[in-house]
Amino acid sequence: MIEKLNDPVIRIQAHAASAISNIFENLPSDVGPKYLEVILPILISKLESGSTCLMESSVTAFSSVAESCGTSFDKYYEESLKILMKYLYIDYPKEYK
């Protein structure tokens, strides 16, 4: 699934992010932390894609990964929050609200 996050088709990237969200929701807590270093930078980069669908799927996947990893996510929390907050303050056009 991680490989599909870099597919040239944005819709496939969005579906991959949704699949990752579903996978991490049911993943044992000791497995998820092994993928944090790889998956978080990719999901964060998808926030800059410009595609609303991909951005929404990436944020959902991001939260599923964070929740699944529990305290292993703590060291990423502060920096992740800064990045996510940046996107909350963007003044999106009315059709995206």
Side-chain angles (χ1 to χ4, degrees):
M1 252 339 103
I2 294 172
E3 179 182 303
K4 293 297 180 187
L5 285 171
N6 293 315
D7 193 274
V9 179
I10 290 179
R11 186 173 297 270
I12 291 175
Q13 293 176 30
H15 285 294
S18 294
I20 287 170
S21 179
N22 291 333
I23 290 167
F24 270 83
E25 285 177 359
N26 298 304
L27 206 60
S29 61
D30 62 325
V31 177
K34 297 174 187 174
Y35 297 95
L36 279 173
E37 297 277 334
V38 174
I39 205 162
L40 289 181
I42 297 170
L43 290 173
I44 289 170
S45 73
K46 300 306 168 188
L47 293 174
E48 299 171 349
S49 73
S51 165
T52 306
C53 179
L54 180 54
M55 290 170 71
E56 290 172 358
S57 296
S58 297
V59 168
T60 303
F62 195 92
S63 68
S64 295
V65 169
E67 185 175 357
S68 170
C69 294
T71 57
S72 297
F73 184 79
D74 288 353
K75 68 180 183 178
Y76 304 97
Y77 176 79
E78 197 166 321
E79 186 63 29
S80 298
L81 191 59
K82 288 177 190 175
I83 293 166
L84 292 171
M85 291 301 289
K86 177 176 98 175
Y87 291 99
L88 283 175
Y89 290 109
I90 293 176
D91 189 23
Y92 290 102
K94 188 175 183 175
E95 63 266 14
Y96 292 110
K97 294 180 182 181

